[in-house]
């Protein structure tokens, strides 16, 4: 089978690595790809992956039997719909099913109708009305740009003053571009976060293990939010009945509601969850693998990822095995100093060859320079993923390997997965 994978991050490196292990794999193409995916497939530059017609033309040129769409923006642009219309199998939701991610207000109305627990919220198109509303709340809230904004369109506020400033920046200052023309204002939830992931072909659901991202830039969950600084799986603090409630009352309810709305969901549904003292509540829905969640989930997948993606695309998920290794994985993101603010790039990366054989280094923002050296090329540079019998063991193993990789200005959090086994009752009263 020839496969075209869209995307260029650490997530796509992990996906390419697992797809390439499949005995079904013919040739893999990745657009645009990166220094990591290029170890498994041929990179194609110069194609705009958010332009459906360009993706179809590329898929036809490379004779792709399957297109795997990993990032959010080509999904929101309707790439899957146009591929399907052209008779090319695609892994990922249609634009209508993907609305659960690209419009927070649609996600909220779906949750309301389906009885899925989430923070109370209101959507506003008028900044004056939004500001009036937050002053009326008299407490902490969260201001979210309605559209996609690289995970950076969310401001968690302690008071109305901060919220008013965030509304002003989004709606009048254009901080998130067109995505901020409408804002959603939510009740602020307290608790611990976890990422649920499931494969679905529109009918059958196969849940993945749970994982936990660390979004803030600094140790102790301080500093600005990033795309994710590290991740672990599974969370020991997540009690079995709560995990089951998330699977049935969130993921399955959402998939059922989408199907009932005539928008059957094919691909990966990833609800972001806050486990509160009132039970699990949805923070947001994503319609794709998380990044860096994919980097710790895919090493645990025992089954054939290509077989699964192909089965999802063809509505045959019930016929293929989806099994997971009972191990723990921890991923530590190494970033350019200054990220998520300004940083410099082009610094040579040393030591990747010195990591242990059972450790994966997934490349996010790095490339080969003219001399063929691997150099930094982005904010999040690479994710070092180790396994172990427990999260604590995997964590020690990950950091032992992180210390072998060097580049100028390298920055990473030192507390990834440090609280993975701390009981929820302690954590939620911080
Ligand atoms: P999102 O892009 O919606 O996942 O939001 C990014 C991050 O902001 C989440 O991972 C949470 O840490 C935080 N966040 C979003 N919504 C809320 C909320 N209602 N209450 C507390 N924190 C939130
Ligand atoms: N891990 C955050 C995201 O992929 O949205």
């Amino acid at each position: 089978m020839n496969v075209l994978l869209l995307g260029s991050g650490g997530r796509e490196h992990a996906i390419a690595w697992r797809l390439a292990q499949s005995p079904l794999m013919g040739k893999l193409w990745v657009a645009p790809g990166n220094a990591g995916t290029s170890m498994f497939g041929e990179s194609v530059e110069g194609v705009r992956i958010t332009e459906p017609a360009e993706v179809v033309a590329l898929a036809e040129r490379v004779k792709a039997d399957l297109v795997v769409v990993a990032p959010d923006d080509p999904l929101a642009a309707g790439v899957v719909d146009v591929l399907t219309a052209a008779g090319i199998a695609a892994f990922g939701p249609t634009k209508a099913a993907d609305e659960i991610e690209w419009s927070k207000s649609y996600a909220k109305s779906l949750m309301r109708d389906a009885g899925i627990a989430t923070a109370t919220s209101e959507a506003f198109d008028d900044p004056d009305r939004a500001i009036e509303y937050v002053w009326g709340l008299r407490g902490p809230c969260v201001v979210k740009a309605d559209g996609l904004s690289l995970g950076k369109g969310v401001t968690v506020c302690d008071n109305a003053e901060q919220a008013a400033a965030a509304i002003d920046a989004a709606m009048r200052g254009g901080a998130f571009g067109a995505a901020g023309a409408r804002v959603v204002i939510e009740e602020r939830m307290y608790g611990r976060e976890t990422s649920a992931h499931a494969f679905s072909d529109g009918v059958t659901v196969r849940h993945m293990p749970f994982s936990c991202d660390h979004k803030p830039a600094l140790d102790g969950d301080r500093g600005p939010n990033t795309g994710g600084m590290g991740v672990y799986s599974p969370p020991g603090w997540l009690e079995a009945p709560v995990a089951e409630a998330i699977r049935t009352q969130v993921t399955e309810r959402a998939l059922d509601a989408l199907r009932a709305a005539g928008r059957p969901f094919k691909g990966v549904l990833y609800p972001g969850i806050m486990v509160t003292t009132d039970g699990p509540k949805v923070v947001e829905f994503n319609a794709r693998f998380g990044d860096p969640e994919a980097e710790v989930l895919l090493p645990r997948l025992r089954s054939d990822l290509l077989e699964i993606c192909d089965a999802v695309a063809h509505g045959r998920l019930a016929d293929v095995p989806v099994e997971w290794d009972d191990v723990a994985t921890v991923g530590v993101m190494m970033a350019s100093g200054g990220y998520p603010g300004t940083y410099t790039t082009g610094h040579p990366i040393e030591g990747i060859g010195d990591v242990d054989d059972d450790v994966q280094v997934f490349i996010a923002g790095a490339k080969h320079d003219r001399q063929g050296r691997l150099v930094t090329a982005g904010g999040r540079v690479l994710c070092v993923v180790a396994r172990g019998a427990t999260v604590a063991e995997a964590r020690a193993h990950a950091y032992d390997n992180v210390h072998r990789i060097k580049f100028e200005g390298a920055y990473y959090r030192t507390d990834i997965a440090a609280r993975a086994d701390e009981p929820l009752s302690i954590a939620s009263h911080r």
Side-chain angles (χ1 to χ4, degrees):
M1 207 184 293
N2 287 342
V3 179
L4 170 62
L5 168 65
L6 302 186
S8 62
R11 166 182 57 201
E12 287 76 10
H13 181 173
I15 293 172
W17 167 64
R18 291 310 312 264
L19 289 175
Q21 289 169 4
S22 171
L24 303 172
M25 178 59 90
K27 173 148 183 164
L28 177 64
W29 304 78
V30 191
N34 71 10
T37 64
S38 69
M39 292 187 265
F40 307 100
E42 187 166 331
S43 302
V44 185
E45 279 169 36
V47 171
R48 289 173 299 174
I49 62 170
T50 51
E51 292 296 328
E54 293 189 28
V55 174
V56 170
L58 173 62
E60 284 172 346
R61 179 162 71 76
V62 303
K63 300 192 168 48
D65 301 296
L66 177 69
V67 180
V68 177
V69 187
D72 54 8
D73 40 352
L75 293 169
V79 161
V80 168
D81 306 65
V82 181
L83 284 165
T84 308
I88 301 166
F91 177 87
T94 59
K95 183 171 181 177
D98 189 52
E99 190 167 1
I100 197 167
E101 172 160 10
W102 60 257
S103 167
K104 291 191 191 287
S105 45
Y106 176 74
K108 284 288 181 187
S109 70
L110 183 113
M111 285 188 268
R112 203 172 306 129
D113 295 349
I116 298 171
T118 186
T120 54
S121 71
E122 289 278 340
F124 294 93
D125 296 304
D126 173 359
D128 291 329
R129 286 206 42 234
I131 289 171
E132 201 181 298
Y133 176 80
V134 296
W135 281 107
L137 286 177
R138 306 168 76 210
C141 69
V142 178
V143 177
K144 300 185 171 187
D146 190 50
L148 294 178
S149 45
L150 294 170
K152 291 168 194 146
V154 173
T155 315
V156 179
C157 306
D158 292 321
N159 53 48
E161 209 160 3
Q162 288 174 6
I167 293 164
D168 204 56
M171 301 187 83
R172 295 203 186 99
F176 311 113
R182 165 181 279 192
V183 297
V184 173
I185 300 181
E186 276 190 11
E187 155 208 6
R188 180 166 172 187
M189 300 182 286
Y190 293 90
R192 286 189 84 171
E193 288 185 68
T194 187
S195 302
H197 280 73
F199 291 108
S200 174
D201 63 0
V203 178
T204 301
V205 186
R206 292 281 181 262
H207 297 282
M208 303 189 208
F210 286 84
S211 56
C212 298
D213 189 6
H214 295 63
K215 285 201 174 139
L218 307 176
D219 282 1
D221 285 339
R222 286 172 302 113
N225 265 350
T226 69
M229 293 301 297
V231 58
Y232 62 91
S233 177
W237 57 266
L238 185 66
E239 290 148 13
V242 181
E244 186 57 14
I246 296 169
R247 286 189 285 261
T248 57
Q249 292 162 34
V250 175
T251 309
E252 293 173 19
R253 266 188 203 172
L255 291 167
D256 288 346
L258 285 166
R259 190 173 56 246
R263 306 176 184 214
F265 186 99
K266 291 184 172 192
V268 173
L269 186 67
Y270 147 27
I273 303 289
M274 183 81 76
V275 179
T276 74
T277 45
D278 298 333
K281 295 186 181 178
V282 172
V283 176
E284 62 169 351
F285 280 105
N286 300 292
R288 54 179 171 80
F289 268 111
D291 188 353
E293 285 88 339
E295 288 95 309
V296 291
L297 292 174
L298 291 171
R300 297 189 58 192
L301 178 63
R302 195 182 308 150
S303 308
D304 181 333
L305 180 63
L306 178 51
E307 186 178 47
I308 294 168
C309 292
D310 189 53
V312 164
H314 291 98
R316 291 190 279 97
L317 183 58
D319 302 341
V320 303
V322 183
E323 286 164 5
W324 302 89
D325 276 337
D326 190 17
V327 295
T329 44
V330 172
V332 177
M333 193 62 80
M334 298 182 75
S336 298
Y339 171 78
T342 53
Y343 51 83
T344 58
T345 59
H347 304 297
I349 302 168
E350 313 283 351
I352 290 187
D354 301 332
V355 304
D356 291 321
D357 289 345
D358 63 344
V359 169
Q360 264 78 42
V361 179
F362 294 118
I363 305 286
K367 63 175 190 187
H368 293 291
D369 69 2
R370 283 210 195 93
Q371 291 100 308
R373 294 178 310 177
L374 188 66
V375 299
T376 62
R380 292 193 299 175
V381 175
L382 50 86
C383 186
V384 177
V385 178
R387 52 172 65 219
T390 60
V391 168
E393 203 179 295
R395 166 179 150 76
H397 195 27
Y399 277 109
D400 177 36
N401 281 271
V402 163
H403 298 146
R404 303 178 201 180
I405 299 176
K406 307 253 183 294
F407 56 88
E408 197 181 308
Y411 170 74
Y412 53 87
R413 278 182 60 163
T414 65
D415 63 347
I416 300 303
R419 295 168 55 236
D421 296 319
E422 190 174 292
L424 179 63
S425 53
I426 299 172
S428 57
H429 290 99
R430 270 190 303 155

